[in-house]
Amino acid sequence: MADGGRVVLPAPGGFILPDQGRDMLPGQGRIVALDQGRTMNADKTGATSPWEEERLILPWAGEELHEECGVFGIWGHPDAAQLTYYGLHALQHRGQESAGIVTSDGQRFTFHRGMGLVTEVFHAEELQKLHGERAIGHVRYPTNGGSVLLNAQPLVFNYRGGELAVATNGALVNADSLRRYLERQGSIFQTTSDTEVIAHLIARSAYDEVEEAVKEALQMLKGAYAFLIMTNEKLVVALDPNGLRPLSLARLGDAYVFASETCAFDAIGADFVRDVEPGELIVIDRDGLRSQRFANAGRRALCTFEYIYFARPDSDIDGVNVHMARKRMGKRLAEEAAVEADVVTGVPDSSISAAIGFAEASGIPYEMGLVKNRYVGRTFIRPSQALREQGVKMKLSAVRKVVDGKRVVMIDDSIVRGTTSRRIVQLLREAGAKEVHVRISSPMVKHPCFYGVDTSSREELIAADKGVEAIRQAIGADSLAFLSIEGMLEAIGRPFASPTDWQRGHCLACFTGEYPTEIPGDLAAD
Ligand code: SF4
């Protein structure tokens, strides 16, 4: 690692230990302690995690795109734990596997983490025991590391500088090589999450000041990350040099608030200030907020799937409202791939906005032809194979009175593996649809994502080696069309940063194969 031309290696003696906890709740304090209450369902079904169980009981679960996480942080508010709970609740769509909150009163941490939804992990009792005016929180979807409490964030450590908590959204493309390097240097990892890498790098830094140690550590990381790192004295916030993941700053009275999406600010009544810049490091302590750069900003490459699928429609990313962007994508799709039909419907929830846009532009009425069952939870009794083969439809149903005898345009936000689209087309036909025309409000996903979205191999992607006609046949649609890349960029409507910035500050790697960062050979080979 370069430091004034000198190669700086991690300081000797930088051992890092899991926090052993103090007077905390069951399941707290010790990073290796599994909360038995939260893993009970997985035991019953033989699944390795509640998320895996959902994959087993829901025929369609696990075939959608998932992202890694949502982060939330607040500094300087007496209700820090409660507000973090509300913030995480607003970010729940970004990860349902585990949730956690760490608070600090300036002297010591208290924390609680568990497997499951925010409302399952936290009750009034847990929140009351989280003291202090500072907090960071996390909701997780596991795309790296296993689905166990061990990997639930924020991760909490003791090191020579005191207590340290880390929450991140994203994925490091060089996590494996850094882990191997650190293990050779004597680090003992407590989790299988790549987020732990930065804690070891901080612990081994020659710098005593945490912000300097963080800056040094960040020089070694490659990939997508939005970090919230807390000690008892400081909150350090960092976004990767390409700005692959969204992260925004708000104020609530005198308090500073950070969140992956602006919908979390609305949930607590905070006022949006600005988005965190790529390569920016923000430090908050008793002297207030300071901003600096830890790296030159690279090509801005915000994940396009935030607009297509991940983010909540009421969030604004880089000043663009997600619902309005999706609606414009649907409108553009109607212009690019018109079809004669009787009714337009969207796959709930993420495709509804695009379906409304398509209907408005085409003049074909929008109808709710598909309904999602929101209450299929982790404890749902798993159907027998025989029932599954009879087509038990637990997650999505077609509205027969809407689609029977009709030519239906079915709008979906993306096709990844193709199996979900095939089943939805089949559902609509079983409900009497005369024709099913599938229109996708994003381009073909042909390349894997290495930045925290769970499509990390080409074999998983139907468009990796199939053209439009072959995919149409595979999903059984009467016609199929995808939105063009140019149409999508214009519809989202982020401005050009420069005359050569044809990608308008987006990551388009899963459509084009042009990755904004270097991808290590072993990952690219997958
Ligand atoms: S490769 Fe695709 S899913 Fe991954 S960060 Fe880029 S745009 Fe998002």
Side-chain angles (χ1 to χ4, degrees):
M1 181 183 341
D3 178 19
R6 180 168 62 95
V7 174
V8 181
L9 292 172
F15 283 107
I16 193 156
L17 297 167
D19 193 302
Q20 295 303 306
R22 287 172 294 266
D23 54 340
M24 297 182 189
L25 300 168
Q28 288 182 324
R30 211 171 294 209
I31 252 181
V32 293
L34 275 173
D35 181 336
Q36 298 301 330
R38 307 283 175 224
T39 54
M40 184 180 67
N41 296 333
D43 294 344
K44 277 197 298 200
T45 61
T48 54
S49 70
W51 171 78
E52 175 64 13
E53 177 183 302
E54 190 176 345
R55 225 192 240 269
L56 292 173
I57 62 171
L58 302 178
W60 302 344
E63 292 167 4
E64 298 157 350
L65 278 180
H66 290 280
E67 201 192 12
E68 178 122 343
C69 303
V71 294
F72 183 92
I74 185 162
W75 186 271
H77 198 287
D79 300 320
Q82 277 85 356
L83 292 168
T84 304
Y85 170 82
Y86 294 130
L88 292 182
H89 190 259
L91 298 174
Q92 185 75 81
H93 58 287
R94 300 184 73 87
Q96 299 92 43
E97 187 227 24
S98 66
I101 298 175
V102 178
T103 59
S104 168
D105 62 6
Q107 304 295 320
R108 47 175 283 180
F109 283 176
T110 44
F111 59 94
H112 180 65
R113 292 175 299 238
M115 303 300 288
L117 303 174
V118 175
T119 50
E120 294 170 329
V121 172
F122 292 97
H123 306 96
E125 182 197 7
E126 282 94 6
L127 287 174
Q128 275 162 14
K129 292 189 179 177
L130 295 174
H131 301 296
E133 300 194 342
R134 302 141 186 202
I136 62 172
H138 192 267
V139 286
R140 179 169 191 261
Y141 173 82
T143 51
N144 69 63
S147 178
V148 291
L149 184 60
L150 197 69
N151 289 329
Q153 295 189 31
L155 299 181
V156 179
F157 304 93
N158 277 324
Y159 81 119
R160 71 180 194 284
E163 290 177 308
L164 184 79
V166 184
T168 186
N169 173 32
L172 304 177
V173 296
N174 63 339
D176 287 349
S177 59
L178 283 174
R179 181 181 280 255
R180 284 196 296 274
Y181 162 74
L182 286 161
E183 283 175 343
R184 279 198 298 272
Q185 302 294 314
S187 294
I188 298 169
F189 279 76
Q190 306 294 323
T191 75
T192 54
S193 161
D194 64 11
T195 305
E196 192 181 345
V197 165
I198 193 167
H200 285 273
L201 291 172
I202 293 167
R204 298 180 68 83
S205 170
Y207 293 104
D208 287 332
E209 266 298 312
V210 70
E211 64 191 86
E212 295 305 322
V214 169
K215 264 196 306 197
E216 187 185 57
L218 292 173
Q219 306 303 320
M220 297 186 76
L221 307 184
K222 291 190 174 63
Y225 53 82
F227 276 116
L228 300 185
I229 299 168
M230 188 171 74
T231 66
N232 282 305
E233 294 81 33
K234 290 180 200 288
L235 176 63
V236 183
V237 177
L239 185 64
D240 70 75
N242 299 101
L244 276 146
R245 294 280 154 244
L247 186 63
S248 302
L249 164 67
R251 297 298 301 262
L252 180 63
D254 292 335
Y256 293 98
V257 189
F258 293 88
S260 294
E261 283 183 44
T262 59
C263 63
F265 301 148
D266 298 331
I268 63 165
D271 296 319
F272 173 81
V273 175
R274 66 177 174 88
D275 293 316
V276 177
E277 295 286 322
E280 183 179 11
L281 185 91
I282 295 175
V283 179
I284 305 176
D285 57 17
R286 66 168 69 160
D287 299 324
L289 181 147
R290 298 185 297 285
S291 166
Q292 55 189 296
R293 295 217 159 266
F294 67 88
N296 290 329
R299 179 179 80 71
R300 183 76 212 263
L302 175 63
C303 172
T304 310
F305 262 94
E306 293 289 347
Y307 292 104
I308 297 169
Y309 175 77
F310 296 135
R312 242 172 62 163
D314 53 336
S315 287
D316 295 342
I317 305 174
D318 219 3
V320 175
N321 173 256
V322 171
H323 162 71
M324 296 306 287
R326 287 179 189 161
K327 208 172 148 189
R328 289 191 295 269
M329 287 190 261
K331 179 172 182 289
R332 180 66 183 246
L333 184 59
E335 290 160 7
E336 290 186 5
V339 60
E340 284 197 10
D342 304 309
V343 64
V344 176
T345 193
V347 179
D349 294 319
S350 53
S351 307
I352 302 294
S353 305
I356 294 170
F358 191 102
E360 280 183 14
S362 65
I364 304 169
Y366 169 80
E367 281 287 357
M368 197 194 290
L370 292 162
V371 176
K372 187 175 177 181
N373 184 349
R374 287 163 215 289
Y375 304 103
V376 180
R378 289 184 180 76
T379 52
F380 195 88
I381 296 165
R382 213 172 136 194
S384 65
Q385 188 58 28
L387 279 176
R388 279 219 256 173
E389 278 161 16
Q390 279 174 32
V392 178
K393 300 170 186 74
M394 291 168 290
K395 199 173 179 188
L396 209 56
S397 325
V399 183
R400 181 172 288 278
K401 291 268 190 286
V402 169
V403 302
D404 192 14
K406 303 274 176 50
R407 296 170 298 171
V408 178
V409 184
M410 188 270 272
I411 309 291
D412 205 352
D413 52 70
S414 54
I415 293 185
V416 181
R417 295 163 184 86
T419 37
T420 305
S421 306
R422 181 166 45 80
R423 285 173 176 145
I424 298 172
V425 170
Q426 194 186 337
L427 255 186
L428 291 166
R429 289 203 195 282
E430 284 169 8
K434 203 162 68 180
E435 294 172 15
V436 181
H437 300 276
V438 177
R439 294 292 179 271
I440 303 298
S441 59
S442 66
M444 292 165 83
V445 176
K446 298 179 175 183
H447 303 274
C449 176
F450 304 110
Y451 303 122
V453 176
D454 63 349
T455 56
S456 53
S457 86
R458 288 189 90 238
E459 290 92 74
E460 296 176 66
L461 307 171
I462 192 169
D465 56 9
K466 281 189 171 58
V468 176
E469 174 55 20
I471 298 173
R472 183 198 67 75
Q473 287 177 22
I475 66 172
D478 290 283
S479 74
L480 169 68
F482 292 81
L483 183 61
S484 66
I485 291 178
E486 299 71 29
M488 174 181 72
L489 295 177
E490 279 175 31
I492 293 172
R494 290 174 71 219
F496 294 95
S498 72
T500 56
D501 174 35
W502 72 270
Q503 301 181 63
R504 296 195 186 211
H506 287 263
C507 174
L508 300 171
C510 47
F511 311 120
T512 63
E514 288 173 39
Y515 294 89
T517 70
E518 180 193 330
I519 302 293
D522 52 339
L523 277 184
D526 291 341

